[in-house]
Amino acid sequence: MRELRIAAVGDVHLDESLRGRYRVHLRDIGEHADVLLLAGDLTRHGTLEEARVVADEFRDLPVPVVAVLGNHDHHSNHPAEIAAMLSEVGIKVLHDEAVVLDVDGARLGVVGGKGFGGGYAGKCASDFGEPEIKAFVGHTKRIADRWRVALKELDADRRIVLSHYSPVKDTLIGEPLEIYPFLGSYLLAEAVDAEGADLIVHGHAHAGTERGVTPGGIRVRNVALPVLGRAYGLYRL
Ligand SMILES: [Fe+2]
Ligand SMILES: [Fe+2]
């Protein structure tokens, strides 16, 4: 099986003022990549007007496009409508589920979802006390459980996890320590390590670092646009 070329970017935070400004960088993506992954925060404030710009920037590309939403895409309470607008132009939006793409006969599996926060082992929120804290931690736990199931059932030659929030601390270096619990959770890495994957990509941590690894040894890449400083990161599997 030949090497697969994965393009990924998150946190493009598009709005009407950026219309056409991102697409210009995607003209030759078919020569460099087999798939484009979008790691959430595609809009600024999660409005339908902004989502229309996202749909127009990423439609009709020569490679399949797979996306998850980010916290900004939830801000105006229209995540379902935004996902539907992206689906209409052929972008596959994942909600804690898998898609298997056929790339020249190779099965590329992508498990994706927004993820959530809570912090990292030893310094994290726990399932204790007020219902509000239990709800916060419970949201992350349910997501991690769904990823575990999706990965367990995934039948593919190569496996990628696409998230908005970060599963590890490595890729947060540069962010203030005080906000780590709002940038991701170790429970996400635990789920992926349990079932195995070849690569995890995430966004959300604009001031973080591109490269990291899970405790189980899986490559993690923070593809937030401000971290990459280029239109997309390219990773080989
Ligand atoms: Fe962002
Ligand atoms: Fe975010």
Side-chain angles (χ1 to χ4, degrees):
M1 197 184 80
R2 77 163 167 87
E3 201 172 51
L4 301 182
R5 304 162 306 167
I6 314 301
V9 65
D11 303 270
V12 293
H13 288 289
L14 296 178
D15 64 11
E16 197 57 46
S17 74
L18 295 169
R19 181 177 283 282
R21 303 261 287 274
Y22 198 85
R23 192 170 177 82
V24 65
H25 300 290
L26 302 174
R27 271 193 302 235
D28 58 355
I29 191 168
E31 293 162 32
H32 305 297
D34 297 305
V35 62
L36 173 62
L37 307 179
L38 301 177
D41 276 7
L42 309 177
T43 63
R44 291 194 71 79
H45 299 105
T47 67
L48 299 183
E49 294 73 20
E50 291 167 350
R52 173 52 57 203
V53 179
V54 176
D56 289 342
E57 292 297 290
F58 293 102
R59 72 194 303 160
D60 304 324
L61 293 177
V63 295
V65 181
V66 181
V68 296
L69 300 185
N71 56 316
H72 281 246
D73 307 318
H74 281 74
H75 182 64
S76 299
N77 298 320
H78 297 308
E81 292 92 331
I82 291 173
M85 284 170 76
L86 300 184
S87 300
E88 268 168 38
V89 299
I91 297 170
K92 177 69 185 170
V93 184
L94 297 177
H95 308 277
D96 303 332
E97 61 192 323
V99 63
V100 179
L101 306 170
D102 185 317
V103 181
D104 288 345
R107 292 165 306 158
L108 174 63
V110 184
V111 167
K114 172 179 69 65
F116 199 49
Y120 299 88
K123 301 279 186 292
C124 55
S126 61
D127 205 359
F128 182 88
E130 300 93 323
E132 289 81 0
I133 287 287
K134 287 176 181 160
F136 178 74
V137 175
H139 185 53
T140 311
K141 281 190 164 172
R142 277 189 296 278
I143 287 169
D145 286 344
R146 288 195 290 258
W147 290 12
R148 207 182 292 254
V149 171
L151 282 166
K152 195 183 208 53
E153 293 173 352
L154 182 62
D155 183 18
D157 301 309
R158 294 282 187 274
R159 300 151 67 89
I160 300 176
V161 173
L162 172 62
S163 175
H164 182 59
Y165 286 77
S166 177
V168 296
K169 286 193 288 189
D170 304 13
T171 48
L172 304 184
I173 292 169
E175 294 280 2
L177 273 173
E178 291 83 350
I179 67 168
Y180 276 26
F182 304 102
L183 295 177
S185 166
Y186 78 104
L187 296 172
L188 305 173
E190 220 175 54
V192 181
D193 276 342
E195 298 300 334
D198 300 295
L199 173 70
I200 304 175
V201 298
H202 74 86
H204 192 46
H206 291 209
T209 299
E210 184 177 353
R211 288 158 180 267
V213 66
T214 67
I218 298 170
R219 284 201 273 178
V220 181
R221 296 292 179 263
N222 177 358
V223 297
L225 182 57
V227 170
L228 292 179
R230 55 193 191 277
Y232 48 82
L234 263 182
Y235 309 101
R236 293 173 183 276
L237 296 183

